[in-house]
Amino acid sequence: MAKKPVKVLIANPRGFCAGVQRAIEIVEKALRRFGTPVYVRHEIVHNRFVVEGLQQKGAIFVDTLDDVPAGAPVIFSAHGVPKSVPAAAKRRNMLFVDATCPLVSKVHREAEHHQKTGLHTILIGHAGHPEVIGTMGQLEDGAMTLVETLEDVAALNFDQDTPLAYVTQTTLSLDDTAEIVRVLTLKYPHIATPKKEDICYATTNRQVAVKALAEACDRVIVIGSPNSSNSLRLVEVAERGGALAKLVQRATNIDWNWISDARTIGITAGASAPEILVDEVIQALGRHFDITIDHVTTSTENITFKLPAILLKDAG
Ligand code: SF4
């Protein structure tokens, strides 16, 4: 039977961001420099495929520093860690490499600056996400207040003369955050705002691209992990753009009933999803449909981040 013709539109940019690329490279270089095993505190990035690939090369993922044997090197994930973590590692004379994305570190420094200048920081983000735990952990308990929703903003009861500033998680929805910021600044007009947006370039670019993509599609497949904040936001943005959207970890998760009547299928990938998984999904679509491929490009990226000095000494 002839395969049904389907148009496949691929979003640009998609997939790996500079922070994720750097974090993976840090683990790979650390394995070459220090030998195996190298310990990694928490998933280095939120992608099982990436994590399993690094495990095969000799990385061991652990939840706490207590799980790292004495003398073994440990890497902190791209999401950032509370200040107490490197402090504890130093106390124990551990060899550690911090793979926190520089754009997350930027938010950490902003929060510190606010505290030094006497401002109470409001963090817009998702409770329990490792990045939020890391950012909250830059200041002592009580120095930062987390808001997730408009209701949380409504419940804030700071006096009008309380000096305030806000920062945000880097991987939030642009539209939802703009609304929270609008209501927050309406409530506290004197609140200090970030000099440069905290939502990172990669989150922004991927959301803009999927929005444009979704307008031309009836289904959008977002490749990413269920615990990846920026991937979940891509699903929401695609749906707001008018398409039905689903998150899949890889091609084997595609629901073929859901997609069977599609005429135009969009594909994008979260910032921690490798391109090999995008290729896998395209190939799977090609086995089911007679596909023609096109791209929707809304921006190009050429950002890279330097590796930590300790790994730059390595020629490998
Ligand atoms: S999504 Fe943004 S903040 Fe997170 S690692 Fe990538 S560049 Fe850094």
Side-chain angles (χ1 to χ4, degrees):
M1 200 172 76
K3 289 192 270 188
K4 181 187 154 195
V6 164
K7 192 165 178 185
V8 173
L9 291 179
I10 303 173
N12 281 323
R14 64 178 177 279
F16 276 4
C17 61
V20 163
Q21 258 163 345
R22 174 178 179 269
I24 294 169
E25 205 179 336
I26 285 174
V27 178
E28 287 175 340
K29 281 213 177 244
L31 284 164
R32 286 206 291 277
R33 183 172 168 83
F34 306 123
T36 58
V38 159
Y39 287 77
V40 185
R41 186 185 173 279
H42 288 168
E43 283 192 337
I44 184 78
V45 300
H46 280 154
N47 189 277
R48 202 199 300 165
F49 185 86
V50 171
V51 167
E52 286 173 359
L54 292 171
Q55 278 171 331
Q56 278 161 17
K57 292 179 182 172
I60 296 178
F61 291 83
V62 295
D63 290 332
T64 70
L65 292 184
D66 294 338
D67 302 323
V68 181
V74 59
I75 296 168
F76 304 147
S77 82
H79 310 101
V81 289
K83 269 195 170 157
S84 56
V85 174
K90 274 183 198 157
R91 271 199 312 277
R92 296 184 202 181
N93 283 325
M94 297 173 97
L95 172 60
F96 65 88
V97 186
D98 189 354
T100 302
C101 175
L103 299 182
V104 174
S105 300
K106 164 192 164 282
V107 179
H108 292 179
R109 300 295 78 77
E110 279 169 6
E112 274 183 335
H113 176 74
H114 294 323
Q115 189 177 38
K116 274 192 201 126
T117 52
L119 307 181
H120 181 91
T121 299
I122 292 171
L123 168 63
I124 304 170
H126 298 296
H129 188 279
E131 182 184 326
V132 164
I133 294 169
T135 301
M136 299 282 291
Q138 297 307 303
L139 308 185
E140 63 263 19
D141 284 354
M144 202 183 296
T145 303
L146 177 67
V147 296
E148 291 190 76
T149 61
L150 292 172
E151 290 71 36
D152 291 344
V153 175
L156 292 174
N157 56 4
F158 296 105
D159 293 336
Q160 279 304 326
D161 54 0
T162 307
L164 294 173
Y166 78 83
V167 296
T168 82
Q169 192 178 334
T170 58
T171 51
L172 298 179
S173 151
L174 294 173
D175 292 345
D176 291 350
T177 308
E179 184 57 10
I180 291 176
V181 166
R182 189 185 69 76
V183 173
L184 187 62
T185 50
L186 212 58
K187 185 165 179 174
Y188 299 110
H190 63 289
I191 193 167
T193 60
K195 280 200 192 75
K196 189 173 179 298
E197 219 36 74
D198 290 330
I199 295 179
C200 75
Y201 82 95
T203 298
T204 304
N205 291 349
R206 279 150 193 70
Q207 287 183 23
V208 170
V210 82
K211 199 175 206 170
L213 179 86
E215 284 165 9
C217 296
D218 42 25
R219 299 288 189 285
V220 171
I221 296 173
V222 178
I223 300 157
S225 291
N227 58 348
S228 160
S229 172
N230 79 84
S231 303
L232 295 170
R233 303 295 80 80
L234 291 176
V235 175
E236 292 167 4
V237 174
E239 287 186 332
R240 284 180 196 170
L244 296 176
K246 269 199 180 173
L247 185 72
V248 301
Q249 300 210 53
R250 57 189 311 168
T252 44
N253 305 128
I254 296 173
D255 177 349
W256 295 103
N257 286 330
W258 173 74
I259 217 161
S260 61
D261 63 341
R263 286 184 301 182
T264 306
I265 301 172
I267 300 177
T268 188
S272 43
E275 188 64 11
I276 192 170
L277 298 181
V278 175
D279 293 340
E280 192 186 83
V281 166
I282 295 169
Q283 281 167 23
L285 290 175
R287 284 194 295 276
H288 281 75
F289 303 113
D290 175 15
I291 60 171
T292 50
I293 298 176
D294 211 342
H295 292 82
V296 173
T297 303
T298 50
S299 60
T300 50
E301 295 176 344
N302 53 8
I303 291 179
T304 53
F305 296 130
K306 269 201 320 206
L307 293 177
I310 188 171
L311 296 175
L312 287 175
K313 287 178 210 147
D314 177 19

